[in-house]
């Protein structure tokens, strides 16, 4: 069982990673409202169930993928309850099959570790060559739930704020696909 703290709307007093600090700075700068919970370490979507219940929403599933040559990288965001099928993803993008990028690549390019992949990594210059891919289903949800760049902090934000404020701020142009 994962411990999940009470919901708060303020930034943490101590940051675990440079990415986490940057996330909260940008949310404040863009005046994006959020709810936050602190947890024990969460790695799997099953671990997110208590977070979903506490925040009254569903966390997204964020996957860091690459081609066989490890020259093209994709940050794919889909619904947490949706099974990932490499074949369907590859067909939607009209690319050859993809696999999961390595832990080392995730750390280097996204500033996170396994379990903490997040759309907020688009704030990092190291992620500039990573193609953000959003599942259309995620874009249609009222709320967007994700990691704050750590495996112990999770946010609930309005999806419209992610799409209309955050992504334009990062100058990241996501590819939206239907799966």
């Amino acid at each position: 069982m994962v411990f999940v703290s009470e919901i708060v709307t303020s930034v943490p007093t101590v940051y675990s990673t440079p990415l986490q600090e940057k996330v909260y700075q940008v949310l404040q700068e863009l005046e994006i409202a959020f709810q936050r919970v602190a947890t024990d370490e969460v790695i799997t979507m099953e671990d997110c169930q208590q977070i979903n219940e506490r925040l009254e929403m569903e966390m997204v599933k964020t996957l860091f993928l690459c081609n066989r040559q490890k020259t093209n990288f994709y940050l794919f965001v889909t619904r947490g309850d949706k099974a990932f099928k490499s074949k369907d993803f590859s067909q939607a993008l009209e690319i050859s099959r993809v696999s999961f990028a390595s832990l080392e690549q995730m750390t280097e390019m996204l500033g996170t570790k396994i379990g903490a992949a997040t759309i907020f990594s688009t704030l990092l210059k190291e992620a500039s060559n990573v193609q953000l891919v959003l599942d259309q289903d995620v874009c249609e949800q009222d709320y967007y739930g994700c990691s704050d760049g750590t495996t112990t902090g999770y946010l609930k934000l309005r999806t419209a704020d992610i799409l209309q404020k955050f992504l334009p701020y990062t100058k990241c142009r996501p590819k939206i696909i239907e799966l």
Side-chain angles (χ1 to χ4, degrees):
M1 181 174 249
V2 174
F3 170 77
V4 180
S5 74
E6 294 301 313
I7 298 171
V8 295
T9 56
S10 60
V11 300
T13 54
V14 176
Y15 299 104
S16 301
T17 67
L19 174 60
Q20 184 188 40
E21 183 174 8
K22 189 172 275 205
V23 167
Y24 290 104
Q25 288 172 347
V26 169
L27 291 177
Q28 286 183 310
E29 182 180 333
L30 298 177
E31 298 180 357
I32 295 177
F34 63 88
Q35 292 180 328
R36 174 178 66 87
V37 294
T39 67
D40 291 337
E41 188 167 62
V42 172
I43 303 296
T44 68
M45 291 310 297
E46 290 78 26
D47 291 343
C48 288
Q49 290 308 309
Q50 290 178 322
I51 299 168
N52 292 343
E53 290 169 16
R54 182 64 56 96
L55 291 175
E56 298 178 348
M57 55 153 301
E58 297 291 321
M59 287 286 141
V60 298
K61 182 187 302 181
T62 306
L63 305 173
F64 187 44
L65 308 165
C66 65
N67 64 352
R68 192 169 47 98
Q69 298 81 10
K70 297 181 169 78
T71 55
N72 296 322
F73 295 89
Y74 307 91
L75 188 62
F76 177 50
V77 182
T78 188
R79 285 191 347 238
D81 62 350
K82 205 173 202 181
F84 173 69
K85 296 179 182 163
S86 174
K87 178 182 174 186
D88 296 341
F89 176 84
S90 297
Q91 285 179 341
L93 287 180
E94 299 177 353
I95 59 174
S96 61
R97 286 268 178 108
V98 297
S99 61
F100 292 97
S102 72
L103 172 60
E104 293 78 19
Q105 291 164 322
M106 179 177 272
T107 302
E108 179 184 319
M109 299 173 83
L110 301 184
T112 63
K113 62 183 189 174
I114 291 180
T118 179
I119 198 167
F120 294 121
S121 290
T122 59
L123 291 167
L124 303 175
K125 68 178 179 170
E126 295 84 357
S128 63
N129 292 327
V130 176
Q131 171 66 58
L132 178 62
V133 181
L134 301 177
D135 186 331
Q136 179 66 43
D137 288 347
V138 169
C139 297
E140 294 171 357
Q141 294 179 339
D142 290 332
Y143 293 100
Y144 188 95
C146 67
S147 162
D148 66 359
T150 69
T151 56
T152 58
Y154 293 85
L155 298 171
K156 174 183 180 180
L157 311 103
R158 289 184 48 239
T159 303
D161 285 340
I162 293 292
L163 298 174
Q164 298 165 13
K165 291 182 179 179
F166 176 74
L167 290 177
Y169 173 86
T170 66
K171 296 179 178 52
C172 180
R173 293 189 178 154
K175 174 126 178 124
I176 298 174
I177 61 173
E178 287 188 51
L179 293 181

